């Protein structure tokens, strides 16, 4: 960008592009908020909903045939909404971690992730208990373990299959927490991106379970690119940052066929991969535009409002949605069933955000922050 400041060595450690530090006053925060990121979240969620509710047969009992062929085939690529979420996450976590202590980061992430998640488990278990035609809720041990969000590490089934992405996010947070512990700087973020990229590639040939567990090879390129995009946004684009993005993009393209197979099974053999590649390209281009300031003028408040319910919507949608579809499919046309299901899920998501996520999140964050301060002062 022509208006990007010159990067001096000391800026690589302290100087942000838009604001004097992580603790801004509310007016400065509102002015610098990237609402376009808030708008990308519901778009990614819509992609995932389309994949689950149009491509999959779980709620319909058979492959949906009431939707037009173009809509059906386009929905097959909706699983890429997860990749978009990971791309956004790399950007946002790097942004939110800058200038924070490890304790502040932990308090922020735990209070952000768990309240809506716990509510989603309770609501999903209730729906599957009352009407278990799609699937049963699982045993009490499974349900209780799910409350930790660590069930995948313990080989315990997810109450809702969409929860698998949360464990990927948690592993990213743990890895990035190392940088936060020693202090977030430009140089360390770049080194983190390089080391994680090498580890991801090495894990494919090393046959090392521990390395593969932490390298998260199919998904790490999105987190890494997100971090690089944030560094461009905070400072300025450089050849090195562009190189990180391009390598991440190439690796993301490398994993396309495997992701198709994972999500479509045998249908992947006759499903074209180029739409998935184009979607990934568009996601990277949009994130590049955000990092370069193309969308700074976009300050529509409704983007933030819609973005605020995206996390509860993602957590709630899958099996509650399948249950609603199962209940309605014999009484209404498929498009009406889909519309009612999505509208009901959005209303439920707003209620969880308004009455659970916000109030409980604030209390948890306050309590955890005090706890972290006690640890810090007593050590």
């Amino acid at each position: 960008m022509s208006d990007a400041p010159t990067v001096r060595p000391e800026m690589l450690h302290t100087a942000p592009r838009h604001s004097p530090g992580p603790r801004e006053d509310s007016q400065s925060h509102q002015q610098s908020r990237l609402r376009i990121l808030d708008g990308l979240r519901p778009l990614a969620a819509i992609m995932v909903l389309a994949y689950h509710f149009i491509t999959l047969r779980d709620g319909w009992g058979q492959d949906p045939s009431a939707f037009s062929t173009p809509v059906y085939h386009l929905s097959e690529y909706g699983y890429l909404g997860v990749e978009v979420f990971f791309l956004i996450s790399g950007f946002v976590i790097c942004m939110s971690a800058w200038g924070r202590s490890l304790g502040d980061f932990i308090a922020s992430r735990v209070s952000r992730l768990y309240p809506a998640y716990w509510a989603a488990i309770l609501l999903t278990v209730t729906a599957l208990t009352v009407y278990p035609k799609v699937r049963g809720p699982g045993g009490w041990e499974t349900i209780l373990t799910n409350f930790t969000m660590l069930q995948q590490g313990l080989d315990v089934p997810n109450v809702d299959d969409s929860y698998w992405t949360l464990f990927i996010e948690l592993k990213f947070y743990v890895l990035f927490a190392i940088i936060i512990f020693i202090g977030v700087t430009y140089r360390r973020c770049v080194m983190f991106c390089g080391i994680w990229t090498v580890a991801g590639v090495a894990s494919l040939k090393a046959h090392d379970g521990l390395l593969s567990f932490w390298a998260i090879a199919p998904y790490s390129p999105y987190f890494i690119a997100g971090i690089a995009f944030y560094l461009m946004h905070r400072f300025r684009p450089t050849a090195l940052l562009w190189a990180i993005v391009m390598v991440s993009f190439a690796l993301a393209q490398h994993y396309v066929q495997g992701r198709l197979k994972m999500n479509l099974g045998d249908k992947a053999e006759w499903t074209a991969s180029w739409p998935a590649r184009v979607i990934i390209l568009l996601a990277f281009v949009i994130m590049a535009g955000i990092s370069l300031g193309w969308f700074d003028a976009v300050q529509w408040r409704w983007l933030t409002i819609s973005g605020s319910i995206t996390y509860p919507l993602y957590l709630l949608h899958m099996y509650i949605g399948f249950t609603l579809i199962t209940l309605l499919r014999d009484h209404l046309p498929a498009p009406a069933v889909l519309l009612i299901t999505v509208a009901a899920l959005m209303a439920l998501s707003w209620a969880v955000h308004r009455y659970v996520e916000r109030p409980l999140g604030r209390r948890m964050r306050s309590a955890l922050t005090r706890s972290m301060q006690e640890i810090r002062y007593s050590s």
Side-chain angles (χ1 to χ4, degrees):
M1 281 182 64
S2 59
D3 61 344
T6 301
V7 177
R8 299 184 298 276
E10 64 271 19
M11 291 175 65
L12 300 182
H13 297 271
T14 59
R17 181 180 176 205
H18 290 301
S19 59
R23 298 188 181 278
E24 309 146 317
D25 58 44
S26 59
Q27 182 178 2
S28 173
H29 177 75
Q30 290 300 324
Q31 290 174 348
S32 63
R33 186 180 185 93
L34 294 172
R35 294 191 187 274
I36 189 67
L37 281 176
D38 296 324
L40 276 183
R41 290 189 179 100
L43 178 61
I46 290 170
M47 291 173 63
V48 174
L49 264 65
Y51 168 69
H52 286 155
F53 294 162
I54 299 179
T55 300
L56 302 186
R57 65 174 63 187
D58 296 65
W60 304 100
Q62 58 184 357
D63 285 333
S65 58
F67 301 98
S68 67
T69 300
V71 169
Y72 178 80
H73 287 305
L74 185 60
S75 73
E76 291 179 320
Y77 304 97
Y79 69 88
L80 287 167
V82 169
E83 276 80 344
V84 176
F85 277 129
F86 290 157
L87 192 57
I88 295 170
S89 184
F91 189 107
V92 170
I93 294 305
C94 188
M95 176 173 62
S96 63
W98 213 282
R100 279 185 172 174
S101 68
L102 179 59
D104 289 338
F105 177 75
I106 293 172
S108 171
R109 289 298 90 198
V110 170
S111 61
R112 175 71 178 93
L113 289 180
Y114 278 91
Y117 174 69
W118 289 334
I121 290 176
L122 291 173
L123 290 167
T124 300
V125 168
T126 300
L128 295 180
T129 300
V130 172
Y131 194 78
K133 186 171 182 178
V134 176
R135 150 176 165 172
W140 282 109
E141 181 180 346
T142 295
I143 295 169
L144 290 174
T145 305
N146 268 252
F147 275 97
T148 68
M149 208 182 284
L150 302 175
Q151 61 271 14
Q152 283 184 263
L154 301 171
D155 291 326
V156 173
N158 291 302
V159 167
D160 188 301
D161 289 348
S162 63
Y163 297 169
W164 72 270
T165 61
L166 301 179
F167 197 59
I168 303 294
E169 284 275 348
L170 285 179
K171 288 193 279 187
F172 168 50
Y173 296 164
V174 171
L175 292 173
F176 202 75
I178 298 171
I179 303 301
I180 299 171
F181 179 73
I182 62 178
V184 181
T185 66
Y186 181 99
R187 181 181 302 168
R188 287 167 182 162
C189 286
V190 170
M191 290 178 62
F192 176 82
C193 291
I195 293 171
W196 198 7
T197 298
V198 172
V201 174
S203 69
L204 301 177
K205 293 294 184 180
H207 304 294
D208 185 305
L210 184 62
L211 179 60
S212 297
F213 180 85
W214 288 107
I216 328 174
Y219 312 107
S220 59
Y222 298 95
F223 293 113
I224 292 167
I227 293 170
F229 281 133
Y230 176 68
L231 294 178
M232 291 184 192
H233 174 75
R234 187 178 180 92
F235 301 102
R236 69 179 179 90
T238 66
L240 179 57
L241 293 177
W242 280 120
I244 292 172
V245 167
M246 293 309 296
V247 170
S248 298
F249 175 75
L251 290 173
Q253 294 288 338
H254 171 75
Y255 295 120
V256 163
Q257 202 62 47
R259 287 285 286 146
L260 272 175
K261 178 69 174 176
M262 183 187 304
N263 286 276
L264 300 181
D266 293 339
K267 289 193 294 184
E269 297 181 6
W270 59 83
T271 302
S273 66
W274 68 263
R277 299 183 188 281
V278 171
I279 291 170
I280 293 170
L281 174 62
L282 288 175
F284 271 73
V285 169
I286 291 171
M287 290 300 296
I290 292 172
S291 69
L292 297 175
W294 296 351
F295 306 105
D296 285 355
V298 177
Q299 291 296 321
W300 303 322
R301 186 173 177 80
W302 64 267
L303 291 176
T304 300
I305 296 171
S306 64
S308 66
I309 69 167
T310 300
Y311 180 53
L313 178 62
Y314 179 81
L315 294 173
L316 292 164
H317 81 276
M318 193 170 185
Y319 279 99
I320 294 178
F322 288 157
T323 301
L324 288 172
I325 290 172
T326 302
L327 288 168
L328 297 173
R329 68 190 185 194
D330 295 330
H331 307 285
L332 295 168
V337 170
L338 186 60
L339 183 62
I340 293 171
T341 299
V342 172
L345 287 168
M346 291 180 67
L348 183 60
S349 301
W350 178 86
V352 168
H353 169 70
R354 176 64 179 83
Y355 297 108
V356 178
E357 187 178 30
R358 282 172 54 184
L360 183 56
R362 282 195 297 266
R363 292 171 185 169
M364 283 186 64
R365 184 168 184 171
S366 178
L368 287 169
T369 299
R370 288 195 301 270
S371 299
M372 296 298 175
Q373 288 174 346
E374 291 174 2
I375 293 173
R376 189 180 307 135
Y377 295 143
S378 64
S379 58

